Amino acid sequence: MKKPSKDLMRYRIGDSVEVHSKEEGFVGSFYAAKVVDVSKNSHVLVEYKTLLTDDESKWLREMVHVSEVRPSPPQLQVSKFNLWDIVDAFDNEGWWAGRISSIAEYKYYACFDGGDRKGLDDDEIPYQKRRRLIDEYKYYVYFPSSQNAIAYPFSRLRLHQEWKNGNWVVPSGSSSCLH
């Protein structure tokens, strides 16, 4: 009797994983999914967490080879990114690897009316209480595959990690401020 592969034994129903796309135009991207079923022929059935079926009525399910699947990476707490850091940017419902090529240090504010002001006029509420910082930095990420640099807010970036020999590794060259 043939033993199941070590890769297949690693995944269980309900595991959070990421699936590597090999489709043209999506090569190098990873999509969050959960394992729905494990087959005996080195495949797992996954249900994507961000991709819908063509009719958009439910989450897309797909049978993929275990070589296209990796566990979800741990969330590393980063206070900021530095120039040339290798990051993953969340775009088009998946994670794409690139490098920070430029940092724009702008401060974006939104003004609020103060909510329940109990009859106060705007000029009676201090300006500082009506103004909220909503974004401080725009990080430009360069993607070698498309040769494009695209701006992202901090909230749509994560430090890039690679799954090697059963462990998560931060590539050398990333100098971000880890908490």
Side-chain angles (χ1 to χ4, degrees):
M1 181 177 206
K2 189 177 175 183
K3 290 183 179 179
S5 76
K6 288 181 184 178
D7 284 340
L8 191 57
M9 291 171 56
R10 179 180 341 149
Y11 300 110
R12 291 183 285 190
I13 294 172
D15 283 352
S16 288
V17 296
E18 289 186 344
V19 180
H20 179 250
S21 179
K22 293 184 178 178
E23 277 188 49
E24 187 176 334
F26 297 93
V27 173
S29 58
F30 284 88
Y31 297 86
K34 71 177 177 183
V35 175
V36 176
D37 197 10
V38 179
S39 77
K40 293 178 183 166
N41 61 356
S42 298
H43 285 76
V44 292
L45 178 65
V46 298
E47 181 177 272
Y48 292 97
K49 296 179 180 179
T50 58
L51 301 177
L52 295 170
T53 57
D54 287 339
D55 66 1
E56 297 184 359
S57 64
K58 56 188 170 186
W59 296 116
L60 178 64
R61 287 185 172 201
E62 183 177 41
M63 188 69 76
V64 294
H65 193 272
V66 291
S67 64
E68 299 173 46
V69 179
R70 67 183 189 182
S72 293
Q75 292 182 356
L76 301 177
Q77 296 298 315
V78 178
S79 58
K80 70 176 187 171
F81 295 104
N82 296 311
L83 199 58
W84 308 120
D85 277 350
I86 302 170
V87 297
D88 295 330
F90 190 77
D91 205 344
N92 292 320
E93 310 305 328
W95 293 100
W96 302 74
R99 276 194 182 269
I100 301 290
S101 60
S102 179
I103 302 170
E105 297 186 38
Y106 298 110
K107 292 187 184 261
Y108 296 94
Y109 292 92
C111 289
F112 299 93
D113 69 3
D116 183 14
R117 300 178 310 182
K118 296 182 181 158
L120 296 174
D121 292 327
D122 275 347
D123 55 349
E124 293 179 77
I125 299 171
Y127 180 68
Q128 292 80 4
K129 289 189 177 185
R130 287 185 283 136
R131 193 172 100 144
R132 300 282 190 272
L133 179 66
I134 57 172
D135 198 3
E136 288 190 61
Y137 294 96
K138 289 290 184 194
Y139 293 93
Y140 287 84
V141 179
Y142 176 76
F143 301 99
S145 59
S146 65
Q147 298 184 348
N148 287 327
I150 301 172
Y152 293 96
F154 180 83
S155 62
R156 291 191 38 206
L157 299 176
R158 68 182 186 191
L159 193 60
H160 180 73
Q161 300 174 72
E162 295 177 5
W163 182 245
K164 290 188 175 185
N165 301 320
N167 295 301
W168 285 105
V169 178
V170 174
S172 60
S174 287
S175 61
S176 290
C177 301
L178 293 169
H179 287 284

